Each structure stands twice: as C-alpha cells, then as structure tokens.
Amino acid sequence: LYFRENGSVVPPPIFLREQLSELPPLSFDFPGIDMESYLSSWDKSYDVFPGRKTKPISIYTKKGCLYDCSFCARIDKSLRTRTPRQAYEDYKRLVALGANYIYEVNDSHLFDAQQTRDWLRQFREIYAAEGGLDAKLWFFADPRHITPETVEIMKTIGVYKVLMGFESGSREIRERIMAKQSLSNDRIVEKAGMLYDAGIRLSDSYILGLPGE
C-alpha cells in the first residue's frame, strides 16, 4: 500500500528473507482442504498426458527479478532461490500428493547469469541421477534466455510448456515505452522456433493499450 505524506509518495516496506533455501520443506497439511479435489478441478478438455487426467499445482523455487521493466508490478529486484536439491525434493512432495503438472510461477526460470546456468545444470544432474519425476513442468521465461543449452535442459527435465512475455509486437514500444531491453522480432520468432523444434509448447503473453499502439 502506497500513501502520500508531506507531498511525497511513500512506498511500503519490503520484508524479504535473504534466501528461499532458508525456508523449511513444503507442507500441504492444511486442515479442511481435500488435496485430491483441489488437484482434480482441472479443465478436463486440456490434457498434458493423453488418456490420463492432468492434476496441476503451482510452486515457487525462485523469486525476484533482476530487471526493471516499466510495466511490471514486481518489487523484489533480488534473485532468491531454493537449492537445486531442495527444488527437486519439493517437486517430489508435490508428485507424492498426486500432482503431475507443476507450474513454476517465478518471474523467469532461466535468467542469463552464471548463477542460474549453474543452478539449471545441477538440477538436471539431480533429475537424471534420481530417475526423473512422474510429472511435467511449466516455466516462465524471457525470450533473451532461450538458448540451445536452456532448451536442451528443459527438454531433459520434462518441461511441457514455456510462457514467454513478448509484451508487444513492436520492438520500439518494448524498448521506448516499456523500458525493456529487447530482441528484434525476427530473433523472438527464432527463439520460439527453438522451443517448437524441441517439442516444447509455447504460450505467449502481451500487454495491450500501451502508448503509441
């Protein structure tokens, strides 16, 4: 909640843990909530697994964003993560509950930084060593972070779909109005094609009604 005081806009204080890795393991022991009913409320017309009911659930194993796009309401500009081992164990707990489609709803699972690349490589190693998961994954990603390596890792760990924020069909609007360092439209199409070639589905998101449209 923002408020005005003595002519100045005062933002709310931000209380953040230093790292998500400090948090205890996930618990879904909520009195009065039937997890089977919750997981079974998915739209039956959309199946991730042909002939098998899709049971989705959401999770954060990373929080925060390192970018400063003008349109975004995110206030956490640091990047805080579970460790790759913690993330894998969190996924296992969700699968044990009956989930088979896991939404990773952090801002981008593929930040183009050494820390993130190392995280993904370590997670892939754990995934392979443990025999994988009986579930598919869904990731947010920025087009700038779609590379041959990240696509190969996503395919290996069972990513079914990626949501990419294209934001606008105009590069000028993306950069001038949205303050978002952007790829060219041709490069974005190329990134989408990399997912297609790997058999990973794509959802794209846009912001409509921006100045200049």
Side-chain angles (χ1 to χ4, degrees):
L1 179 65
Y2 285 74
F3 63 93
R4 188 179 297 277
E5 184 177 55
N6 299 324
S8 299
V9 175
V10 180
I14 302 173
F15 301 99
L16 302 173
R17 277 186 177 268
E18 184 176 352
Q19 276 297 346
L20 299 187
S21 57
E22 298 173 0
L23 297 173
L26 285 174
S27 173
F28 284 86
D29 184 19
F30 301 132
I33 295 180
D34 181 352
M35 289 301 298
E36 177 60 30
S37 296
Y38 174 83
L39 292 170
S40 298
S41 62
W42 185 255
D43 180 4
K44 296 181 178 61
S45 67
Y46 183 78
D47 289 323
V48 176
F49 301 94
R52 179 181 171 195
K53 185 168 178 57
T54 304
K55 296 182 178 181
I57 199 165
S58 300
I59 187 174
Y60 281 98
T61 59
K62 299 179 183 179
K63 297 201 76 173
C65 180
L66 302 179
Y67 296 125
D68 196 25
C69 303
S70 64
F71 61 90
C72 186
R74 302 289 190 188
I75 59 175
D76 184 356
K77 297 303 179 185
S78 61
L79 183 60
R80 299 171 295 127
T81 73
R82 303 283 277 166
T83 67
R85 169 57 68 179
Q86 287 175 325
Y88 185 83
E89 296 300 326
D90 287 343
Y91 292 164
K92 279 181 61 177
R93 292 184 185 92
L94 297 180
V95 173
L97 286 171
N100 59 15
Y101 190 30
I102 300 172
Y103 280 76
E104 262 288 1
V105 288
N106 59 77
D107 293 287
S108 179
H109 213 59
L110 312 173
F111 275 112
D112 187 19
Q114 188 65 46
Q115 173 191 359
T116 302
R117 289 194 294 271
D118 290 344
W119 194 102
L120 288 169
R121 291 166 185 154
Q122 291 172 33
F123 184 88
R124 176 181 55 187
E125 292 174 2
I126 294 168
Y127 185 95
E130 295 287 344
L133 296 163
D134 187 20
K136 297 293 186 182
L137 304 176
W138 182 98
F139 280 179
F140 275 116
D142 187 297
R144 292 169 289 184
H145 306 152
I146 300 298
T147 68
E149 182 182 21
T150 58
V151 170
E152 186 274 330
I153 290 175
M154 287 192 291
K155 182 177 181 179
T156 300
I157 64 176
V159 173
Y160 175 80
K161 179 179 285 189
V162 170
L163 172 63
M164 284 203 292
F166 297 160
E167 320 307 359
S168 172
S170 166
R171 184 176 187 178
E172 179 185 2
I173 287 178
R174 290 194 300 268
E175 295 187 341
R176 182 173 60 85
I177 303 298
M178 308 175 82
K180 179 170 183 170
Q181 185 181 3
S182 177
L183 302 173
S184 68
N185 287 352
D186 287 343
R187 285 284 285 155
I188 289 175
V189 171
E190 178 185 332
K191 302 287 187 174
M194 292 169 64
L195 294 176
Y196 177 84
D197 291 342
I200 299 173
R201 296 197 179 194
L202 169 68
S203 288
D204 43 333
S205 67
Y206 302 87
I207 297 176
L208 303 180
L210 292 166
E213 288 189 337

